[in-house]
Amino acid sequence: MGEKTKKKVKTIKVDVDKCNGCRACEMICSAFHSVPKYSGNNPARSRIRVIREPLKDIYVPVYAGENAKAECMGRDKYVIDGKEYEECAFCRASCPSRDIFKEPDSGLPLKCDMCESDPTLEKPLCVQWCMVDALTYEEREEEVEEDVKLDDVETGLDSLVAKHGLQKVLDTFARMSQKGAEQPGEK
Ligand code: SF4
Ligand code: SF4
């Protein structure tokens, strides 16, 4: 448990009533996160996915949240039929994001990082590219517990450890390093 500090919390409010399912948000997110940046665009790598509810003909943009096992870390606000729901009223246990946010090649979890970059963007790109204002960027100050921030690699490792156990992951790394050291020409 960390100490409590004042922190700027970045959130994106999702107005489901305005979303028309154009998927521009998916395109720009995956392009921004491709390596090198903007070298490709595959919505399967996007940290936002637009889910269509066919019976009601509505589109619901869903963000890749923390891959928390026991506690919901969702901070998204949703507006549905004009009513605003605070702090992601969708429970992540049943939230479709759990299955759809996987890196297609490695199967490792994807997470929205609010388009972190240097220099910092004025607004996240999915918000900038949403032409109908279904996504609105909001900042607020909040007292939060100081958390250790995980980058993409740490998030992936965290999920491997949760799935296979620390020992198995360590053994696999040891085996891989051994193999790497034995590769001819490797320095
Ligand atoms: S860009 Fe906006 S309108 Fe288009 S799918 Fe995404 S949230 Fe919906
Ligand atoms: S805020 Fe950035 S990282 Fe998060 S879903 Fe939008 S474009 Fe992707």
Side-chain angles (χ1 to χ4, degrees):
M1 289 265 174
E3 279 187 19
K4 291 228 170 193
T5 50
K6 284 249 179 210
K7 198 168 152 188
K8 190 162 71 178
V9 177
K10 301 174 174 180
T11 60
I12 294 171
K13 187 165 98 180
V14 182
D15 191 335
V16 173
D17 302 339
K18 289 183 180 167
C19 176
N20 60 19
C22 73
R23 298 187 190 272
C25 50
E26 295 182 354
M27 303 282 254
I28 190 61
C29 181
S30 66
F32 181 73
H33 287 91
S34 59
V35 184
K37 267 193 176 63
Y38 303 112
S39 59
N41 122 37
N42 175 357
R45 295 197 161 88
S46 172
R47 274 88 164 149
I48 179 171
R49 295 306 301 270
V50 180
I51 293 161
R52 180 167 177 257
E53 167 53 64
L55 293 178
K56 297 191 178 133
D57 199 26
I58 59 166
Y59 297 93
V60 183
V62 178
Y63 283 89
E66 299 277 352
N67 284 269
K69 303 287 171 299
E71 194 181 352
C72 173
M73 302 289 281
R75 292 194 172 277
D76 312 326
K77 278 186 190 172
Y78 276 80
V79 178
I80 301 173
D81 283 341
K83 182 167 181 237
E84 188 169 304
Y85 294 83
E86 283 289 326
E87 296 287 314
C88 192
F90 299 97
C91 175
R92 286 213 184 266
S94 58
C95 178
S97 75
R98 285 182 94 83
D99 286 330
I100 59 174
F101 291 115
K102 297 263 169 68
E103 160 63 40
D105 297 330
S106 63
L108 293 175
L110 297 168
K111 191 183 111 190
C112 166
D113 58 5
M114 287 280 169
C115 298
E116 260 181 22
S117 63
D118 190 12
T120 309
L121 301 179
E122 199 193 316
K123 283 181 190 171
L125 286 167
C126 55
V127 173
Q128 291 187 40
W129 278 58
C130 181
M131 294 295 118
V132 294
D133 294 333
L135 308 175
T136 321
Y137 180 59
E138 294 179 347
E139 285 181 358
R140 65 171 186 275
E141 281 240 309
E142 204 176 76
E143 237 190 22
V144 292
E145 254 171 32
E146 202 51 69
D147 243 352
V148 182
K149 206 154 183 253
L150 300 184
D151 65 17
D152 278 358
V153 176
E154 288 171 311
T155 303
L157 283 174
D158 210 38
S159 118
L160 285 176
V161 169
K163 191 167 173 193
H164 302 288
L166 181 60
Q167 197 53 51
K168 172 111 197 212
V169 173
L170 288 176
D171 291 348
T172 308
F173 273 119
R175 215 169 43 245
M176 286 169 74
S177 328
Q178 181 73 25
K179 243 170 139 181
E182 285 166 3
Q183 294 278 337
E186 288 265 335
K187 295 250 153 75

